[in-house]
Amino acid sequence: MTTPFPFTAVVGQDDLRLALLLNAVSPAVGGVLVRGEKGTAKSTAVRALSALLPAVAVVPGCRFSCDPAAPDPACPDGPHEPGGGADRPARMVELPVGASEDRLVGALDIERALAEGVKAFEPGLLADAHRGILYVDEVNLLHDHLVDLLLDAAAMGASYVEREGVSVRHAARFLLVGTMNPEEGELRPQLLDRFGLTVEVAASREPEQRVEVVRRRLAYDDDPDGFAARWAGEEAAVRQRIVAARRLLPGVRLGDGALRQIAATCAAFEVDGMRADIVMARTATALAAWAGRTDVLAEDVRQAALLALPHRRRRNPFDAPGLDEDKLDDTLEQYAGDDDGGEDDPDPDGPGGGGGGGPRPDDGPQGGGDAAARPEAGEGGEPQASGAREQAAAPAAEPFRTKALSVPGIGEGAAGRRSRARTEHGRTTGARRPRGTLTKLHLAATVQAAAPHQRARGRSGPGLVIRRDDLRQATREGREGNLVLFVVDASGSMAARQRMGAVKGAVLSLLLDAYQRRDKVGLVTFRGAAAEVALPPTSSVDAAAARLGTLPTGGRTPLAAGLLRAHEVLRVERLRDPARRALVVVVTDGRATGGPEPVVQAGRAARLFAADGVASVVVDCESGPVRLGLAGQLAGELGGTAVTLDGLRADSIAGLVRDVQGTQRTPGRAA
């Protein structure tokens, strides 16, 4: 086994190390979500934590790590007699992003269950992680059905496997640790709230610290065992400190004054529910124990807020995580209690061992900030001039709830909430022979297939004689996520009459809808003489919103170039992810003025989408008393439909749902 990088050798990242250590002291804190750019030691620090955790006492031979002092009465390997156990190292179990449901929760042998009535159960990763760490790298890319299973296990402290009346239950209490790069997409709010703490990490900009990072990494790569040996003393000291903090934890006093500060802070930042209050209380208590104190101080409450609240105060997916620390300090001062036992004796170094209460590295400015200016004189006029003046980015109007746009037919893409698809979860629509491992049994079809052969198989008892060929897999229909590719006209004609703000507001609304429906998104813009891919297809709706916010306008309208660039993006993405169907949203007034024969070329480019059977919708941005209807003509060439900016609203009188009309089936896919 490869020697892990020592936890104490990680350079910097004080908040990350402190959050992990607090969970080691008090697993009830609820885990850690680590957000940050690639190459910032996220995974290295998490993997190194397991070596610091105290050994776990287990019942010998139990596959579910039952505690010998209080064995689980419902353990599938039980019942166990109390007493006598064996110590083993704490486990850190990694959940791959592409894991199957059976790998996570375990597999039940359906054939033996039906034929013999035997619960032959093979434990999954949740059983392995019981009383240890469950680590999910790239947790934001985890499939929705696995997220649902994690949520259930985290809420109940147990995992249930139920199939056709046969059920197995086992304990599954674990420390959930996830790492993610926000550029690749955000987490569902339900899973986000399950993480007790969150930290933002970023690479240091200090040359000396970066030099030390490289020096230690090279030394570790040259001689992992020797490098680990040089840090063995520091590792042992931290391990002993964790043990001492665990012993001290039950005696830590959380006074009414600290509780008032916690409650007031959560109320001031308008976090949902009461979980934030509970997590803050547990974190503040763990901070005191880690510092070797038996009283919770105001500084503990402050640090707990910085770790427990940023990911809970987001009101929509475009809000940056983080806290207003001035507001936090004002709230704590206003509700400072008389029984904190130490509010007049603050420890400027914080609770020791890194972290402190100083400002957290909050990267940030979001795109499309307040400095956006209105278009200057000219209003994007004279679009025919190739050197037309570029105008500053216009701020987006307030987003609204949009109508549901979906791709016609039935797909087989990644689970989501937009278009109909054959999925592992959803309503049962039929049965088929299993391809590989049976995952969802169709009981009626299985019995029907086995029934005619019972006499030939010599059935004599009450049970059915089941063969492998009798088993039938249930086919189910649910919803999939799509690739929503926005093709946005940023030419001078769109900037006229101050329309760009309303256009950006509409696209922002569609982006919010894409976030909620678990889509991938991409952004192609066109203006002047060419088109560009402002954002390649990604799961990060935040990134698309940021690019949209800084989008300038001006120049001619090269509609054909925009459509051709979008067609090329879809071609490449189809090679990468052939199962994910696309929905193209063209936001334009329909004008085409760039290049030779602009109208003819735009029509030819649009017909490429119709020939490929790509679902499309044109958001008609034309305004004014005289309308040319060019966007509607473009929709006809694309084989899609057109909708006005006002008609895009879900509460418009045109109806609540509008399905995108396609002209053909996408080649190679079921309609």
Side-chain angles (χ1 to χ4, degrees):
M1 180 180 294
T2 303
T3 303
F5 192 91
F7 185 86
T8 52
V10 174
V11 179
Q13 308 299 11
D14 292 340
D15 282 348
L16 168 58
R17 290 188 293 149
L18 178 63
L20 292 172
L21 289 170
L22 292 177
N23 276 273
V25 171
S26 175
V29 166
V32 186
L33 174 64
V34 187
R35 300 165 44 95
E37 58 198 24
K38 51 189 176 292
T40 50
K42 301 189 298 293
S43 300
T44 299
V46 174
R47 292 189 175 103
L49 177 66
S50 60
L52 299 177
L53 297 180
V56 178
V58 297
V59 174
C62 179
R63 298 174 297 167
F64 301 89
S65 301
C66 279
D67 186 349
D72 183 3
C75 175
D77 284 354
H80 303 300
E81 293 296 329
D87 289 347
R88 65 157 175 79
R91 289 176 182 163
M92 191 195 70
V93 177
E94 293 197 39
L95 171 61
V97 169
S100 66
E101 179 179 336
D102 285 348
R103 185 71 186 97
L104 179 62
V105 301
L108 190 66
D109 192 329
I110 299 296
E111 187 173 355
R112 290 189 63 190
L114 288 177
E116 305 172 29
V118 176
K119 295 181 181 178
F121 181 69
E122 183 65 28
L125 295 177
L126 290 180
D128 292 342
H130 179 48
R131 303 177 67 200
I133 301 173
L134 181 62
Y135 172 45
V136 189
D137 194 12
E138 307 294 350
V139 63
N140 51 324
L141 303 183
L142 201 63
H143 289 300
D144 270 5
H145 68 284
L146 296 183
V147 170
D148 292 337
L149 293 170
L150 275 181
L151 288 173
D152 289 342
M156 297 183 293
S159 174
Y160 291 85
V161 182
E162 298 191 12
R163 293 186 181 172
E164 320 308 327
V166 181
S167 64
V168 174
R169 173 211 170 273
H170 65 83
R173 292 182 295 276
F174 47 82
L175 172 61
L176 182 61
V177 180
T179 56
M180 60 175 283
N181 184 345
E183 293 178 356
E184 296 173 339
E186 283 293 346
L187 280 177
R188 283 170 51 183
Q190 295 94 329
L191 182 57
L192 195 63
D193 191 49
R194 284 294 175 186
F195 287 98
L197 309 179
T198 186
V199 291
E200 295 277 340
V201 296
S204 173
R205 300 298 185 258
E206 294 294 331
E208 290 303 320
Q209 196 172 65
R210 296 175 74 96
V211 166
E212 186 61 24
V213 170
V214 175
R215 181 181 292 119
R216 293 186 187 182
R217 186 69 210 191
L218 294 178
Y220 170 77
D221 291 340
D222 290 341
D223 183 10
D225 292 335
F227 184 83
R230 290 196 293 274
W231 288 89
E234 287 81 352
E235 293 281 288
V238 173
R239 192 177 299 112
Q240 292 171 4
R241 189 174 176 186
I242 291 174
V243 173
R246 283 189 172 188
R247 291 173 180 164
L248 183 62
L249 186 65
V252 174
R253 174 177 173 270
L254 181 64
D256 289 343
L259 279 173
R260 278 196 296 271
Q261 287 183 316
I262 290 170
T265 301
C266 292
F269 286 98
E270 300 180 352
V271 296
D272 295 328
M274 295 298 298
R275 184 173 285 119
D277 304 62
I278 297 170
V279 170
M280 271 190 67
R282 290 172 174 166
T283 305
T285 304
L287 280 162
W290 178 245
R293 289 187 268 99
T294 56
D295 284 308
V296 173
L297 308 182
E299 68 201 43
D300 299 325
V301 176
R302 185 182 193 278
Q303 183 65 58
L306 292 173
L307 293 172
L309 296 188
H311 60 303
R312 292 186 167 90
R313 61 154 293 276
R314 298 186 64 173
R315 309 313 297 177
N316 66 63
F318 307 131
D319 288 341
L323 293 182
D324 182 342
E325 295 195 29
D326 290 337
K327 180 178 179 180
L328 173 60
D329 291 335
D330 291 343
T331 303
L332 293 177
E333 183 178 355
Q334 180 181 356
Y335 288 90
D338 297 331
D339 57 349
D340 269 349
E343 73 178 280
D344 295 327
D345 185 23
D347 180 359
D349 294 329
R360 300 178 54 217
D362 213 4
D363 291 331
Q366 293 290 299
D370 297 335
R374 289 288 184 183
E376 298 178 11
E379 298 183 5
E382 300 181 20
Q384 292 78 16
S386 60
R389 180 184 306 169
E390 181 178 298
Q391 301 177 21
E398 189 71 19
F400 52 84
R401 189 166 66 91
T402 67
K403 292 180 179 178
L405 305 175
S406 62
V407 178
I410 302 178
E412 295 181 344
R417 300 194 183 107
R418 183 172 296 278
S419 305
R420 294 172 59 198
R422 283 182 286 270
T423 62
E424 288 294 320
H425 300 270
R427 63 185 182 90
T428 301
T429 58
R432 60 172 173 79
R433 292 181 182 273
R435 302 166 189 165
T437 303
L438 177 71
T439 55
K440 298 292 183 183
L441 178 74
H442 194 296
L443 183 59
T446 298
V447 172
Q448 186 176 9
H453 309 290
Q454 296 305 296
R455 180 175 298 178
R457 293 173 182 174
R459 174 189 171 189
S460 58
L464 287 175
V465 181
I466 301 291
R467 299 286 187 264
R468 176 68 185 175
D469 289 344
D470 300 329
L471 299 179
R472 294 295 183 268
Q473 174 85 23
T475 57
R476 302 192 175 195
E477 182 178 309
R479 293 279 169 177
E480 68 177 359
N482 299 116
L483 166 60
V484 182
L485 182 61
F486 294 93
V487 186
V488 180
D489 184 350
S491 65
S493 65
M494 292 288 289
R497 306 182 190 92
Q498 312 288 327
R499 278 182 292 168
M500 204 59 197
V503 169
K504 287 186 177 182
V507 177
L508 199 63
S509 304
L510 290 168
L511 283 172
L512 181 59
D513 181 69
Y515 167 81
Q516 295 168 340
R517 297 181 188 277
R518 311 297 291 170
D519 294 317
K520 291 180 70 174
V521 296
L523 178 62
V524 174
T525 64
F526 58 94
R527 65 185 183 90
E532 66 172 342
V533 181
L535 183 71
T538 175
S539 297
S540 177
V541 175
D542 286 12
R547 300 291 173 88
L548 179 71
T550 57
L551 180 66
T553 58
R556 292 178 179 270
T557 311
L559 178 57
L563 295 175
L564 290 174
R565 181 59 63 90
H567 189 267
E568 177 64 14
V569 169
L570 292 184
R571 184 189 69 80
V572 173
E573 192 64 18
R574 193 175 293 120
L575 296 175
R576 294 174 179 168
D577 191 359
R580 188 181 291 268
R581 298 186 295 166
L583 170 62
V584 176
V585 179
V586 185
V587 185
T588 181
D589 57 8
R591 297 172 186 259
T593 60
E597 298 185 309
V599 177
V600 174
Q601 294 299 327
R604 289 176 180 171
R607 286 191 288 275
L608 292 176
F609 292 87
D612 288 344
V614 177
S616 60
V617 61
V618 178
V619 180
D620 185 359
C621 301
E622 192 174 26
S623 61
V626 179
R627 303 194 178 209
L628 303 178
L630 300 177
Q633 296 177 24
L634 175 62
E637 298 278 8
L638 287 166
T641 57
V643 58
T644 64
L645 284 175
D646 290 337
L648 191 63
R649 294 178 178 271
D651 55 358
S652 69
I653 60 174
L656 295 179
V657 177
R658 177 191 299 270
D659 284 341
V660 181
Q661 301 298 316
T663 57
Q664 301 181 23
R665 296 179 181 177
T666 303
R669 301 190 194 123

